[in-house]
Amino acid sequence: MPASLARRRAIIVGAGQSGLAVAAALSAEGLQPQQDFVVIDAAAPGQRSWSSRWHSMVLLSDARHSALPARRHPGDQRLHPRVDEMVGYLKVVEAAIGVETAWGVHVTGVERRGDGSTLHLSTSVGEVQTRNIVCATGAAAYPRLPKWSTALSVPGVAIHSSSYQYPRQIPTRDVLVIGGGNSGLQIARELAGSHAVTLAARTRRAHRPLVSYPSAAGRHRPLFGGELRPEPVFGDSYERLQQAGVRMAPAVTHARGGAVTFADGTTASPGSVIFATGYLPGDDWFPDEARIRGPRRTTTPLPGLFVAGFPQYSRRGVDTIAGVSADAAAIAHHIINRP
């Protein structure tokens, strides 16, 4: 086990926006990075998840509402940052806080033995003991694919949106995008200029313009409320996509060979398929007892194990770069006040 991970008051697992938000909150409470707490991440040096997003992707919120309290975005605050700008921004935040992330460290489990206050964190570099662990591995850590996806065989490519980069990646003239959320709409819009696109959506989501919403008090409301309704779509709309030539279809219910069947009973044989079907959370290394979710905001039934940026453990919107700061402040408060 590297000496840099031993005998620290807290270990933050994940160096993305949530992990850096917690690091900033702990620093604000007087804790020193590397000395009192460390940040670890399974990725190669500097390769945060933003690095793998498609090239033209932009954030749903403008720069003013896409920043951590530790540092604002440079430039025009009304613009919506691109993914490469987010990568650069998080590097700047990391340096401003003074965090030296330990990259390439995979976490495989955590447990408390007996009635003590020490947690045992199993990692690819050995077991680490600490009193506080923060899971900041992301509410969207692993691609979610429908069960029937393994039965699908197309002449082109069948990939999750996490693997999509640019239109030339799709070799066939026609492509089926599955998923009516913001990722599905953004990808369908980009492909519409060069491909025959069909967008399959389970439900038509509410549409909101891609702007900020000032409240009567002069403050800005979060993009997402606390209710459990599907995330609205921003900027683009289904109607505009149809005007751009995108064909709309109901949800895909199953597939066999090269054919997919839609909810209305019709079928199609797409050349390529992109699954914009969401993600699974990065809490797979938790013991079952810690996955009990409910009104425990940022805490788990395992004392000393905290979660940042997961709506399942907190509230809607904390998986956004603006929303995670509330989680981070709460976790820092818990850690500082733990006996």
Side-chain angles (χ1 to χ4, degrees), residues 21 26 113 120 148 154 176 183 187 204 221 224 279 335:
L26 289 175
R113 298 168 188 166
H120 298 258
W148 52 259
V154 295
L176 171 64
S183 294
I187 292 173
R204 294 290 187 100
R221 302 171 184 164
F224 309 106
Y279 294 82
I335 290 175

Side-chain angles (χ1 to χ4, degrees), residues 176-181 198-203 246-252 262:
L176 171 64
V177 179
I178 299 176
T198 299
L199 177 66
R202 186 177 302 279
T203 57
V246 174
R247 174 179 172 267
M248 296 300 301
V252 176
F262 299 102

Side-chain angles (χ1 to χ4, degrees), residues 181-316:
N182 286 288
S183 294
L185 267 67
Q186 282 195 28
I187 292 173
R189 165 63 70 178
E190 178 170 77
L191 288 170
S194 55
H195 292 70
V197 182
T198 299
L199 177 66
R202 186 177 302 279
T203 57
R204 294 290 187 100
R205 304 188 185 195
H207 172 256
R208 294 183 187 177
L210 199 58
V211 296
S212 301
Y213 295 88
S215 67
R219 297 181 179 180
H220 290 267
R221 302 171 184 164
L223 289 175
F224 309 106
E227 71 280 357
L228 297 178
R229 290 180 295 180
E231 171 190 294
V233 292
F234 294 87
D236 230 327
S237 68
Y238 303 113
E239 291 73 21
R240 290 193 196 126
L241 284 178
Q242 287 178 290
Q243 293 170 6
V246 174
R247 174 179 172 267
M248 296 300 301
V252 176
T253 57
H254 60 277
R256 184 176 180 181
V260 299
T261 301
F262 299 102
D264 61 0
T266 60
T267 62
S269 298
S272 293
V273 174
I274 297 177
F275 294 97
T277 45
Y279 294 82
L280 297 171
D283 62 354
D284 53 307
W285 50 278
F286 280 16
D288 289 340
E289 63 180 293
R291 286 205 193 96
I292 301 173
R293 299 163 183 169
R296 300 181 61 94
R297 187 176 171 188
T298 72
T299 66
T300 71
L302 197 62
L305 178 62
F306 304 97
V307 185
F310 286 63
Q312 303 95 317
Y313 293 88
S314 184
R315 60 181 175 81
R316 187 76 175 269

